[in-house]
Amino acid sequence: KHLANLLVSMYAKCRSMGDARTVFDDIREPNLFSWNILVSAYAINGDFHGARAVFDRMPEKDSVSWNTMVTAYARIGRIREARKMFEAMPQPDTVSWNALLAGYAQNGHLLEAIELFKKMPDKDVVTWTTMVTGLAENGYLDEARRFFELMPTPDVAAWNAMVAGYAQAGCLIQARLMFDEMPAKNTASWNSMINGYFQNREVEQARSLFDAMPRKNSTSWNLMIAAYAQRGHLQEAREVFDRMPDKN
RNA sequence: CUUUGCCC
């Protein structure tokens, strides 16, 4: 049954809702995990009506079920619906608060996000990074920085959000300073900085970072190829493509 | 085995 649940989840992530549903329907006695996975499956594929239908029909719910629905509405910008879900929850946990917070932040409602942030009974590293990201990507870099500096223990994601925010605003020097000062980098850190250079037409800088990065993931490769192609450098795009190890 | 934040 764990395997069947995993299968449903995997099909959903591959956007194969038909297969996901078929596997689910063949599960003898779906447990709470199975139901939650099915709700999430519809949500991932943008079908919040489907998600809602399953949610209303499932025999029992836990906070994961509720949180999945909050997220499903928040992601597509239906904040009022997300909020209604949140308010109907018996016991909202930090994930619930964070999901709603991300809904506001991702849809550009920063004032409401700040308001909600202040009301939160518990804050974790996700709470803080959600704020940093939301502020930074909407151009409120000074505010983002303030939140970042107030974070008890900024993790890589928070650092990356600041790097991406500065880069997106065209502040490559600041972005690079933070990139260099990061206590630990992951592949997303490198990708953020490289993407920043490309967005600001610093093709050579982007290229040398790409060549220097210790590990590349599919985003790294796609980034380089797309950026070269967009700028009309079809020969280098092709050359990078040919060097890519797993072309699938 | 399922839900929230960073690059795409």
Side-chain angles (χ1 to χ4, degrees):
Chain A
K1 176 169 303 168
H2 290 188
L3 287 177
N5 286 345
L6 182 60
L7 245 194
V8 175
S9 177
M10 285 185 351
Y11 274 131
K13 285 174 189 154
C14 297
R15 330 231 88 179
S16 303
M17 262 318 290
D19 293 320
R21 185 74 216 205
T22 302
V23 175
F24 177 87
D25 288 341
D26 284 344
I27 299 176
R28 290 309 173 187
E29 282 156 36
N31 59 16
L32 186 49
F33 278 76
S34 321
W35 285 102
N36 285 340
I37 289 167
L38 191 62
V39 175
S40 168
Y42 282 106
I44 284 171
N45 288 279
D47 182 359
F48 62 92
H49 288 299
R52 181 59 190 254
V54 174
F55 178 81
D56 288 339
R57 197 170 299 266
M58 56 196 290
E60 65 267 311
K61 302 166 175 55
D62 64 1
S63 63
V64 172
S65 330
W66 288 92
N67 292 341
T68 305
M69 287 306 301
V70 173
T71 303
Y73 284 123
R75 284 237 177 93
I76 56 171
R78 304 183 74 113
I79 306 293
R80 295 258 62 108
E81 299 286 66
R83 175 139 221 150
K84 274 185 211 136
M85 272 290 160
F86 175 83
E87 282 168 354
M89 283 187 75
Q91 290 285 2
D93 57 17
T94 303
V95 172
S96 326
W97 285 90
N98 287 343
L100 186 60
L101 185 72
Y104 284 118
Q106 286 164 359
N107 290 282
H109 303 135
L110 280 317
L111 293 179
E112 283 119 316
I114 291 172
E115 197 180 333
L116 190 72
F117 177 88
K118 290 181 187 158
K119 288 184 189 157
M120 290 182 64
D122 296 295
K123 299 170 176 68
D124 61 12
V125 69
V126 173
T127 314
W128 286 95
T129 306
T130 300
M131 289 304 302
V132 170
T133 304
L135 291 164
E137 76 190 5
N138 285 280
Y140 302 102
L141 288 170
D142 294 338
E143 283 296 338
R145 177 116 205 179
R146 251 167 239 139
F147 273 86
F148 177 79
E149 281 166 358
L150 287 170
M151 282 185 77
T153 47
D155 65 357
V156 204
W159 282 91
N160 291 350
M162 288 302 305
V163 170
Y166 277 124
Q168 178 192 316
C171 309
L172 285 179
I173 304 290
Q174 287 290 351
R176 184 56 188 255
L177 275 174
M178 296 213 68
F179 179 79
D180 289 338
E181 284 169 3
M182 290 179 62
K185 297 175 181 60
N186 60 16
T187 307
S189 321
W190 290 83
N191 291 344
S192 300
M193 196 64 235
I194 292 168
N195 193 37
Y197 280 130
F198 264 127
Q199 281 172 352
N200 292 277
R201 317 285 128 109
E202 297 283 355
V203 177
E204 295 309 322
Q205 296 266 45
R207 180 53 183 255
S208 55
L209 263 196
F210 178 78
D211 289 338
M213 67 191 296
R215 286 191 333 185
K216 301 168 175 61
N217 62 15
S218 59
T219 300
S220 322
W221 293 98
N222 291 338
L223 206 62
M224 289 299 293
I225 295 167
Y228 273 137
Q230 275 167 11
R231 317 227 70 227
H233 299 158
L234 297 182
Q235 64 296 337
E236 14 268 283
R238 176 71 202 207
E239 167 209 318
V240 173
F241 178 81
D242 289 337
R243 282 208 284 128
M244 185 166 41
D246 300 315
K247 299 183 177 53
N248 31 47

